[in-house]
Amino acid sequence: MELGAWGGILLISVGFASGFLNVVAGGGSTLSVPVMIFMGLPAPIANGTNRIAILAQNITAVVTFFRRGYSDFKLSLSLAICAIPGAVVGALVGVEFEGIWFNRMLAIIMFGIILINHLDKKTAPTKKIVTSRIRLVIGHLMMILVGFWGGVIQIGVGFLIMPVLSNVIGLDLIRTNMHKVFIIGTYTVVALAIFASNLEIPWMIGLALASGNMLGGYLGARISISQGDRFIRIVLNVVLTCFIVRLLVLT
């Protein structure tokens, strides 16, 4: 598939919006994957190509958080390691995945997350949160399911991982996003390798999309830090509401 100038501009623009949404809340892949399908890529290839941008976006976000003083690589790595087995199985399913049967289930999950976020009372993002061992164990186990979903489709994984980090483990939303980008970036390496070994990935399209995702991911990380929990909750709930309507009404 030949990528013209306008196609490149479109991918960079969509990538920017996608990267910003993915880092601050989630759902950015609901923009990038349909655009690639509209441009003529089969759904499984678009699904795999999207992982190039996801990887670039999350590497950029991890570095941005680190430079701003937000990092806990020990916890990030242990959570990411738990997500990898699920991502491997999910990616093996994802290379054959073409349907949209998951839409309504995803909408229900999103609605549940809105309720949890509305009812949950969080401490200030600058206060160090001490979590229990049992919460950490449960959170690590749930990462297997998060990894599976991310491996299969990636769309909506941010909406699944954020409640695990925030409501189960007990992190504030800034640190939730800090760990989220590391975990997703780590298992995406494995998922991308599986997609690339089973499908013919158009790397130029992926790199064009990735350039936009990197810019959006950088801006999303900076705004997450500067604006704090309240801003992240507002963006998350607005994005979730929009996607619930889209999934239930327009599909």
Side-chain angles (χ1 to χ4, degrees), residues 81-152:
I81 289 172
C82 289
I84 287 175
V88 170
V89 176
L92 291 172
V93 174
V95 295
E96 304 292 339
F97 185 77
E98 296 193 46
I100 58 170
W101 56 267
F102 61 93
N103 279 7
R104 283 165 178 78
M105 179 177 68
L106 182 57
I108 293 171
I109 292 172
M110 291 177 181
F111 182 70
I113 294 169
I114 288 179
L115 290 179
I116 292 171
N117 284 334
H118 177 72
L119 296 174
D120 183 51
K121 303 298 183 182
K122 286 295 171 188
T123 56
T126 55
K127 181 178 179 181
K128 183 175 178 59
I129 297 176
V130 179
T131 188
S132 66
R133 182 176 295 273
I134 187 63
R135 282 176 172 265
L136 283 172
V137 171
I138 294 172
H140 279 76
L141 291 176
M142 292 181 74
M143 280 299 133
I144 299 174
L145 298 177
V146 169
F148 175 78
W149 186 270
V152 172

Side-chain angles (χ1 to χ4, degrees), residues 78-234:
S78 66
L79 290 166
I81 289 172
C82 289
I84 287 175
V88 170
V89 176
L92 291 172
V93 174
V95 295
E96 304 292 339
F97 185 77
E98 296 193 46
I100 58 170
W101 56 267
F102 61 93
N103 279 7
R104 283 165 178 78
M105 179 177 68
L106 182 57
I108 293 171
I109 292 172
M110 291 177 181
F111 182 70
I113 294 169
I114 288 179
L115 290 179
I116 292 171
N117 284 334
H118 177 72
L119 296 174
D120 183 51
K121 303 298 183 182
K122 286 295 171 188
T123 56
T126 55
K127 181 178 179 181
K128 183 175 178 59
I129 297 176
V130 179
T131 188
S132 66
R133 182 176 295 273
I134 187 63
R135 282 176 172 265
L136 283 172
V137 171
I138 294 172
H140 279 76
L141 291 176
M142 292 181 74
M143 280 299 133
I144 299 174
L145 298 177
V146 169
F148 175 78
W149 186 270
V152 172
I153 192 68
Q154 183 63 33
I155 295 175
V157 73
F159 300 138
L160 301 181
I161 195 172
M162 290 182 76
V164 174
L165 295 173
S166 177
N167 300 97
V168 176
I169 296 179
L171 301 173
D172 63 77
L173 288 179
I174 296 177
R175 289 172 179 81
T176 288
N177 278 339
M178 174 192 78
H179 288 294
K180 179 185 74 175
V181 295
F182 185 98
I183 295 164
I184 294 176
T186 301
Y187 77 62
T188 296
V189 174
V190 178
L192 177 58
I194 292 174
F195 274 91
S197 64
N198 286 274
L199 301 171
E200 189 173 341
I201 300 295
W203 290 91
M204 290 305 297
I205 290 178
L207 291 173
L209 186 67
S211 63
N213 273 61
M214 289 174 68
L215 293 172
Y218 170 74
L219 181 62
R222 291 196 58 171
I223 289 180
S224 291
I225 295 168
S226 62
Q227 298 299 319
D229 272 27
R230 178 176 172 80
F231 173 80
I232 297 171
R233 285 181 186 277
I234 292 172

Side-chain angles (χ1 to χ4, degrees), residues 65-84:
F65 275 112
F66 176 75
R67 288 180 174 175
R68 297 272 168 168
Y70 287 88
S71 64
D72 182 356
F73 292 125
K74 182 179 179 180
L75 179 57
S76 290
L77 184 60
S78 66
L79 290 166
I81 289 172
C82 289
I84 287 175

